[in-house]
């Protein structure tokens, strides 16, 4: 058993911080007692870890990452710039680095295959708990269609563990959903619009899929026990995704343009993963047409986040990292605060609400008895300065299921 004592606890539920808290963890890696230190009965068998003066949080969750992506350039997207083995090792190092920055769980929004999950389970490498989507399902011409701006198809043979994801018509949609599940998808990712970075001609408000196709996709995914995360920025494709009842809207930049959309989200309990970080990158560093799209959507995106928050929609932190830099996932929490969430709400967006979005709230997301001890101890108080979560020096302790993955406080350990 382990007993963490002395930190200020922010438990991820939105409750006020608890000073001088204690968390008792059993040998199965689950928390058995949580609260102010005097309320937690210490077991004599427990190893005591003194984290006084620091802040204890649930392990962070990124609900939209592309851990196996290493740049937006076509050569990188198609894997032409280096041997596949090099890319896989690069991905492994991203997994380790992401965990080391306090991210104990990641939902991968396409690209990462189930082999990485297996490698983590076999302890070949360390990494966050993974919820995988494998590929983005779209019709021909949509986001899942691997075609270059020159009109050429991808020349690299497909990885069978990341199945082809173009589907036209109800039958193909059902078949592709089943193929994803067979290859190890925990969640189904689809796209009903273009995006900022998609090819010219398929932009943020250009629709993909018709009503029957999307209804079939959601039905099939739910029948197989998978949630649906849907890339949708604006226009009729965004409305379609909400109407057929996807489980989360990724990006949602133009939700503010149709007054019926946000109430519909609130009523159906659909999560909103705005991924603010990627648009900062697109506005500053991407190709010309992408920068233009990123700038055009900015004010709508902020308005959408604010209105969704007011309507009671759960906002969830996701970075869309992969095209842009890995390893600074906590920037999203800073941007959510700048977009109008309170610091406490931003932390919920990266912990409790994120776990609920993944459907893993029974085990993860908050510091409560019964849940897995995925925990983060930081030097300083993120409610006063959210940016400190981006500084690896301030990440003092990371536990995943009670196992210590990062330990920069060994000096303070006391054996009892
Ligand atoms: Zn994405």
């Amino acid at each position: 058993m382990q007993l963490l004592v002395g930190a200020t606890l922010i438990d991820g539920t939105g409750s006020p911080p608890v000073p001088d808290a204690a968390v008792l963890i059993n040998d199965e890696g689950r928390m058995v007692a949580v609260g102010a230190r005097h309320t937690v009965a210490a077991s004599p068998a427990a190893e005591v870890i003194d984290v006084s003066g620091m802040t204890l949080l649930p392990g962070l969750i990124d609900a939209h990452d592309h851990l196996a992506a290493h740049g937006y350039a076509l050569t990188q997207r198609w894997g032409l710039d280096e041997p596949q083995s090099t890319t896989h090792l690069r991905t492994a190092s991203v997994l380790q680095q992401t965990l080391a920055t306090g991210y104990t769980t990641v939902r991968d929004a396409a690209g990462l295959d189930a082999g990485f999950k297996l490698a983590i389970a076999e302890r070949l490498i360390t990494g966050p708990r993974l919820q995988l989507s494998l590929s983005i399902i779209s019709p021909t011409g949509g986001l899942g269609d691997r075609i270059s701006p020159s009109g050429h198809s991808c020349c690299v043979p497909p990885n069978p563990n990341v199945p082809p994801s173009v589907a036209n018509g109800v039958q193909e949609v059902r078949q592709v959903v089943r193929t994803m599940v067979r290859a190890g998808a925990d969640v189904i990712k689809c796209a009903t619009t273009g995006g900022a970075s998609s090819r010219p001609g398929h932009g943020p408000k250009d629709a993909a899929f018709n009503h029957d196709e999307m209804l079939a996709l959601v039905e099939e995914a739910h029948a197989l026990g998978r949630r649906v995360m849907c890339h949708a920025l604006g226009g009729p494709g965004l409305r379609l995704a909400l109407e057929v009842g996807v489980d989360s809207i990724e990006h949602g930049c133009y939700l503010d343009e149709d007054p019926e959309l946000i109430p519909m989200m609130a009523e159906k309990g659909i999560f909103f993963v705005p991924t603010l970080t990627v648009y900062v990158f697109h506005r500053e560093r991407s190709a010309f047409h992408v920068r233009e799209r990123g700038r055009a959507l900015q004010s709508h995106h902020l308005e959408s986040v604010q209105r969704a928050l007011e309507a009671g929609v759960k906002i969830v932190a996701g970075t869309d990292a992969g095209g842009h830099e890995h390893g600074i996932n906590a920037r999203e929490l800073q941007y959510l605060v700048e977009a109008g969430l309170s610091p406490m709400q931003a932390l919920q967006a990266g912990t409790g609400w994120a776990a609920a979005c993944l459907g893993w709230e029974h085990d993860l997301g908050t510091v409560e008895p019964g849940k897995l001890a995925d925990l983060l101890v930081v030097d300083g108080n993120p409610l006063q300065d959210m940016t400190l979560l981006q500084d690896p020096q301030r990440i003092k302790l990371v536990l995943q299921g009670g196992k210590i993955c990062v330990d920069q406080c060994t000096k303070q350990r006391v054996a009892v």
Side-chain angles (χ1 to χ4, degrees):
M1 294 190 112
Q2 292 163 299
L3 182 69
L4 298 179
V5 291
T8 297
L9 169 66
I10 299 172
D11 68 7
T13 67
S15 301
V18 179
D20 196 18
V23 175
L24 184 63
I25 303 163
N26 70 14
D27 292 337
E28 281 75 55
R30 287 189 185 265
M31 297 177 276
V32 289
V34 175
R37 191 202 292 238
H38 65 270
T39 66
V40 175
S43 157
E47 179 198 12
V48 178
I49 304 172
D50 185 352
V51 284
S52 299
M54 292 189 254
T55 306
L56 174 62
L57 306 156
L60 298 171
I61 300 173
D62 189 331
H64 189 128
D65 200 336
H66 298 274
L67 290 158
H70 307 290
Y72 277 110
L74 207 59
T75 50
Q76 294 161 328
R77 284 181 151 188
W78 286 7
L80 304 172
D81 62 329
E82 63 186 10
Q84 289 185 357
S85 49
T86 309
T87 306
H88 290 329
L89 288 166
R90 194 179 298 289
T91 301
S93 93
V94 168
L95 287 163
Q96 291 174 331
Q97 181 193 13
T98 304
L99 176 62
T101 58
Y103 278 80
T104 51
T105 299
V106 169
R107 183 172 68 163
D108 193 81
L112 195 70
D113 75 49
F116 288 93
K117 206 169 166 183
L118 198 60
I120 290 171
E122 290 190 17
R123 311 236 180 101
L124 300 175
I125 54 168
T126 60
R129 297 178 194 279
L130 296 171
Q131 185 169 103
L132 302 179
S133 61
L134 309 182
S135 307
I136 305 173
I137 305 176
S138 85
T140 296
L143 225 58
D145 194 0
R146 300 180 88 196
I147 191 111
S148 76
S150 62
H152 293 91
S153 297
C154 182
C155 51
V156 177
N159 171 359
N161 300 303
V162 182
S165 55
V166 171
N168 294 295
V170 167
Q171 285 312 313
E172 279 185 24
V173 164
R174 290 188 189 276
Q175 188 187 346
V176 170
V177 169
R178 289 172 181 169
T179 307
M180 291 301 159
V181 172
R182 182 180 68 186
D186 307 298
V187 57
I188 297 301
K189 169 92 184 272
C190 63
T192 55
T193 75
S197 67
S198 50
R199 64 181 166 78
H202 189 53
K205 296 186 197 177
D206 294 320
F209 277 138
N210 63 37
H211 187 270
D212 289 347
E213 288 168 323
M214 273 306 289
L215 202 58
L217 185 145
V218 171
E219 266 182 17
E220 197 61 43
H222 288 174
L224 295 171
R226 269 45 172 199
R227 292 190 177 190
V228 177
M229 57 185 297
C230 182
H231 164 114
L233 274 69
L238 175 59
R239 187 180 181 95
L240 171 60
L242 294 170
E243 282 175 351
V244 299
V246 301
D247 300 283
S248 67
I249 291 290
E250 312 298 307
H251 318 303
C253 310
Y254 290 102
L255 278 166
D256 67 320
E257 284 200 328
D258 178 343
E260 291 177 14
L261 298 187
I262 287 172
M264 209 191 304
M265 271 182 102
E267 195 207 313
K268 295 188 176 189
I270 298 172
F271 293 89
F272 179 19
V273 190
T275 69
L276 299 168
T277 307
V278 73
Y279 296 102
V280 175
F281 173 86
H282 284 328
R283 281 191 290 275
E284 292 169 0
R285 290 158 63 188
S286 286
F288 178 76
H289 77 280
V290 178
R291 289 203 303 272
E292 295 284 290
R293 287 171 178 171
R295 286 171 193 157
L297 63 79
Q298 185 176 15
S299 61
H300 290 281
H301 208 183
L302 294 175
E303 182 71 23
S304 297
V305 171
Q306 285 155 12
R307 284 205 218 159
L309 191 66
E310 283 163 21
V313 172
K314 294 258 186 337
I315 313 278
V316 175
T319 56
D320 211 357
H324 65 82
E325 212 170 353
H326 288 292
I328 323 174
N329 307 55
R331 270 194 299 216
E332 185 71 14
L333 305 181
Q334 176 199 338
Y335 294 143
L336 286 170
V337 171
E338 289 170 11
L341 274 71
S342 70
M344 187 62 95
Q345 287 170 329
L347 289 177
Q348 286 177 272
T351 58
W353 292 344
C357 177
L358 272 59
W360 287 355
E361 68 274 19
H362 298 297
D363 280 330
L364 303 173
T366 59
V367 184
E368 293 179 285
K371 293 199 180 184
L372 289 163
D374 281 18
L375 299 170
L376 171 61
V377 175
V378 297
D379 175 15
N381 182 352
L383 294 176
Q384 284 160 8
D385 176 11
M386 198 59 71
T387 65
L388 71 86
L389 295 172
Q390 300 165 33
D391 179 358
Q393 300 303 318
R394 312 286 286 267
I395 307 296
K396 293 298 180 188
L397 197 63
V398 179
L399 280 83
Q400 202 181 31
K403 287 198 178 58
I404 294 174
C405 316
V406 172
D407 184 0
Q408 299 196 70
C409 19
T410 33
K411 274 181 284 176
Q412 285 159 305
R413 280 223 224 164
V414 194
V416 171

